[in-house]
Amino acid sequence: MNREFPRVGLGWDLHRMVAGRPLMLAGVEVPYNKGLLGHSDGDVVLHAVIDAMLGAAGLDDIGQVFPDADDRWKDADSRAMVTITRELVARTVALRPVQVDVVVIIEQPKLAPHKAAMRQSLANLLGLDVGDVNIKAKTHERIGEIGRGEAVAAQAVVVLAACPTGGLEQRV
Ligand code: MG
């Protein structure tokens, strides 16, 4: 693996929005009358970030690391999944996150009042300064499933760099 330059990964995820579930975004519960359906807590932002980290590390995808069929991840806290992913990336390829940028595509609720808390939560989870974390919210112009409030999507780009302390690379 080439560590001469930072490594970039892309993540994307979508979950259905339904009544009776908490709306978890970037590890923060956003007050709303609907939330995200999923095997875990459905945190679409953290799932996109996990996939971006795995992508940058060349470690496949979230479905391989946290299989739907595995009851360990049923209703799992996605924050714990981020921590596990960070440890996996550090241990196997000696890389750590240094920057993340996120787009959340959501019609309602408006995220502006919650973005600062979401940024801080994501920064804490990734061990970053809040200045190295950005979260943007866009609507879907009332078009399609997201526009009708039936789903929420997120995109993430994560930059990984070599761990200064090194890690144990295990090539399999
Ligand atoms: Mg997901």
Side-chain angles (χ1 to χ4, degrees):
M1 175 176 283
N2 185 348
R3 290 187 189 72
E4 192 178 347
F5 301 104
R7 298 181 60 90
V8 174
L10 172 67
W12 182 89
D13 196 21
L14 178 145
H15 281 256
R16 286 178 187 270
M17 183 108 103
V18 296
R21 295 272 296 184
L23 178 57
M24 297 301 298
L25 293 172
V28 172
E29 184 172 349
V30 174
Y32 194 53
N33 60 5
K34 292 192 280 185
L36 299 179
L37 190 64
H39 187 68
S40 66
D41 62 14
D43 192 323
V44 71
V45 171
L46 295 187
H47 295 181
V49 167
I50 287 169
D51 253 351
M53 289 172 67
L54 293 172
L59 291 173
D60 210 316
D61 65 29
I62 191 169
Q64 295 299 313
V65 178
F66 304 99
D68 268 8
D70 190 333
D71 274 351
R72 265 185 305 169
W73 313 118
K74 183 163 167 42
D75 297 322
D77 184 335
S78 296
R79 292 174 294 191
M81 294 162 66
V82 172
T83 300
I84 290 167
T85 304
R86 266 183 76 189
E87 290 167 359
L88 176 73
V89 167
R91 192 175 68 243
T92 57
V93 292
L95 295 169
R96 65 184 174 92
V98 293
Q99 192 211 329
V100 58
D101 190 20
V102 172
V103 182
V104 189
I105 306 107
I106 184 167
E107 204 69 28
Q108 289 287 337
K110 295 295 177 202
L111 296 188
H114 309 289
K115 280 201 293 190
M118 290 167 61
R119 280 180 80 177
Q120 188 62 61
S121 168
L122 192 50
N124 293 347
L125 286 168
L126 295 178
L128 297 176
D129 290 337
V130 76
D132 296 320
V133 175
N134 198 68
I135 296 180
K136 303 183 289 295
K138 312 286 289 184
T139 74
H140 208 257
E141 297 288 339
R142 288 178 283 170
I143 294 166
E145 292 84 354
I146 296 172
R148 289 191 298 270
E150 296 168 10
V152 176
Q155 299 171 317
V157 172
V158 172
V159 178
L160 301 181
C163 291
T165 53
L168 292 176
E169 182 166 9
Q170 299 165 339
R171 292 188 185 279
V172 286

